């Protein structure tokens, strides 16, 4: 029997989102029905609304969420009704070439729910990142629901599902930050500050925050930045070099994802340093660099997909760090809003006024 629920839907490209009733089916084999408690407002949802990710409208938005399992489908043995979960947009299949080679964090055939959610009149919805959690209920594959300690309140726990994991993992997993490293992070929004927290936690000797906004730089210091650079009136490449003995940083994380920040990150590295891009660019963006510089500077240029995380392994660890006071998830929350406030939250995010707005359902 389908469940009726209120949800945030993007009906057409670039149009304001609408809160509409939808139908969520009972879970089929391998699926779970989740009652959503909280969901963060992420740039990726805005990309979906604006058609920058695809054209499979209408989209059911929201993906950075925590909630409680309401029902499970046939064959689901590791989850039960009442379990407290954080939703993940990667659920390794176990069978693709990445999984078979022992690299499930690169899974090329991530699992999603087998049954579609729809508008009341039957139009199928495309759930953002296979989740669709700006809703009272959502249907996901069992592998997308990661059981965590219920002591973590959902407004904070849900942030692990995307932004915090992406930034933290960009530093720890993709960038391989280690004890004594110097790290620069460009862009001090939610993802960038999570990268700063991850680098600090991994033992970086110096963590340099780069942003145009003094308020965000102040926040970056609270997440573990040892130095800040306001790039509005300063050449950030030269500033980072000056802070690292003239050499550049061992690891530079671009949490913005624009050609100009990528170029800055490229030249901000020490020789043989690592550049990690975790900020998501628009599809029409291009970057041009001298091939001789690519060769002569060496090192590694990496893209970080979801912080190269394995949700079943990493989500419980980050929740434990939060509960032990070693990762302050509460500090990422700028405001809590309702489903009806998602469109204004998008505008605040675009203006750089918040780290994270969190929808409480």
């Amino acid at each position: 029997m389908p469940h009726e629920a209120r949800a945030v839907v993007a009906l057409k490209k670039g149009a304001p989102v609408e809160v509409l009733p939808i139908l969520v089916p009972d879970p089929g084999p391998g699926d779970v029905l989740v009652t959503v408690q909280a969901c963060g407002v992420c740039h990726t949802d805005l990309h979906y609304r604006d058609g920058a990710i695809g054209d499979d409208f209408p989209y059911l938005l929201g993906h950075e969420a925590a909630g409680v399992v309401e029902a499970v489908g046939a064959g689901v043995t590791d989850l039960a009704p009442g379990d407290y979960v954080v939703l993940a947009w990667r659920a390794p299949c176990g069978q693709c070439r990445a999984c078979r080679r022992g690299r499930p964090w690169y899974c090329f055939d991530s699992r999603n729910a087998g049954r579609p959610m729809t508008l009341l009149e039957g139009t199928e919805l495309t759930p953002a990142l296979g989740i669709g959690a700006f809703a009272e209920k959502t249907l996901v594959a069992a592998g997308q629901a990661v059981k965590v300690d219920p002591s973590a309140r959902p407004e904070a726990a849900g942030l692990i599902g995307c932004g915090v994991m992406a930034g933290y993992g960009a530093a720890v997993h993709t960038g391989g930050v280690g004890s004594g490293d110097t790290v620069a992070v460009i862009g001090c929004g939610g993802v960038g500050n999570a990268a700063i927290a991850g680098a600090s936690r991994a033992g970086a000797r110096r963590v340099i925050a780069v942003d145009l906004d003094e308020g965000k730089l102040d926040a970056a210091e609270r997440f573990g930045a040892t130095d800040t650079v306001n790039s509005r009136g300063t050449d950030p490449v030269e500033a980072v070099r000056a802070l690292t003995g003239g050499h550049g940083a061992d690891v530079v994380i671009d949490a913005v994802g624009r050609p100009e920040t990528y170029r800055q990150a490229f030249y901000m590295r020490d020789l043989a340093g690592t550049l990690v891009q975790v900020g998501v660019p628009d599809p029409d963006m291009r970057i041009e660099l001298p091939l001789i510089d690519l060769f002569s500077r060496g090192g590694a240029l990496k893209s970080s997909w979801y912080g190269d995380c394995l949700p079943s392994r990493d989500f419980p660890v980050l929740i434990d760090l939060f509960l032990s006071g070693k990762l302050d998830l509460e500090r990422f929350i700028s405001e809590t809003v309702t489903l009806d406030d998602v469109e204004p939250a998008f505008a605040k995010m675009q203006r750089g006024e918040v780290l994270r707005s969190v929808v409480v359902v």
Side-chain angles (χ1 to χ4, degrees):
M1 184 77 175
H3 306 260
E4 186 171 325
R6 295 177 75 239
V8 176
V9 177
L11 290 173
K12 58 183 179 179
K13 181 177 180 178
V17 299
E18 298 183 35
V19 180
L20 301 171
I22 68 168
L23 292 177
V24 183
D26 282 327
D31 294 340
V32 297
L33 177 68
V34 175
T35 298
V36 179
Q37 295 179 318
C39 184
V41 180
C42 176
H43 271 93
T44 301
D45 293 303
L46 185 58
H47 285 317
Y48 272 107
R49 189 205 72 174
D50 291 343
I53 291 179
D55 194 36
D56 296 324
F57 290 90
Y59 285 109
L60 173 58
L61 301 183
H63 61 279
E64 190 178 72
V68 175
V69 173
E70 183 172 324
V72 303
V76 177
T77 59
D78 54 351
L79 290 169
D83 283 346
Y84 182 57
V85 295
V86 173
L87 302 184
W89 53 265
R90 174 176 290 139
C93 68
Q95 301 298 321
C96 73
R97 61 192 185 281
C99 288
R100 291 198 305 269
R101 294 175 68 189
R103 302 171 183 171
W105 47 89
Y106 292 142
C107 178
F108 302 134
D109 191 21
S110 184
R111 305 288 87 178
N112 293 131
R115 295 177 175 177
M117 293 178 277
T118 68
L119 296 176
L120 293 187
E121 37 77 6
T123 299
E124 291 190 9
L125 296 163
T126 303
L129 291 174
I131 294 177
F134 285 152
E136 294 168 332
K137 299 179 189 294
T138 192
L139 187 71
V140 296
Q144 293 178 272
V146 179
K147 189 175 178 180
V148 298
D149 191 322
S151 301
R153 73 185 186 107
E155 295 91 332
L159 302 182
I160 294 293
C162 186
V164 170
M165 188 70 258
Y168 192 97
V172 175
H173 300 314
T174 316
V177 174
S179 180
D181 282 345
T182 56
V183 179
V185 178
I186 304 175
C188 300
V191 173
N193 278 323
I196 288 169
S200 179
R201 174 90 190 146
R205 176 171 60 88
R206 173 162 259 165
V207 183
I208 306 165
V210 181
D211 203 284
L212 298 165
D213 184 275
E214 280 296 332
K216 288 187 176 181
L217 291 173
D218 289 342
E221 291 183 318
R222 295 192 289 273
F223 284 103
T226 59
D227 304 271
T228 62
V229 173
N230 190 323
S231 56
R232 187 174 297 279
T234 303
D235 181 337
V237 175
E238 292 305 317
V240 169
R241 288 190 176 282
L243 289 166
T244 54
H247 305 300
D250 298 307
V251 180
V252 181
I253 299 168
D254 176 10
V256 178
R258 295 187 58 84
E260 54 269 34
T261 54
Y262 191 93
R263 179 179 288 273
Q264 289 168 356
F266 179 83
Y267 289 107
M268 204 177 276
R269 300 173 301 147
D270 196 357
L271 290 174
T274 297
L275 187 164
V276 176
Q277 181 188 341
V278 65
V280 181
D282 290 341
D284 59 347
M285 291 178 176
R286 299 288 185 271
I287 183 72
E288 183 174 319
L289 291 165
L291 190 57
I292 187 62
D293 287 355
L294 286 167
F295 172 76
S296 61
R297 296 192 64 81
L301 309 179
K302 297 183 175 182
S303 298
S304 185
W305 299 343
Y306 207 3
D308 289 345
C309 79
L310 186 58
S312 59
R313 175 195 67 193
D314 295 323
F315 285 11
V317 171
L318 266 62
I319 291 294
D320 288 348
L321 288 175
F322 166 56
L323 293 174
S324 65
K326 297 173 183 176
L327 177 63
D328 190 355
L329 296 178
E330 299 283 356
R331 199 179 292 279
F332 287 95
I333 303 170
S334 301
E335 62 174 359
T336 55
V337 299
T338 69
L339 288 171
D340 298 295
D341 300 319
V342 167
E343 189 66 32
F346 281 154
K348 291 177 185 178
M349 183 174 61
Q350 286 180 300
R351 294 193 297 266
E353 296 174 1
V354 293
L355 288 182
R356 266 299 186 270
S357 300
V358 177
V359 174
V360 177
V361 182

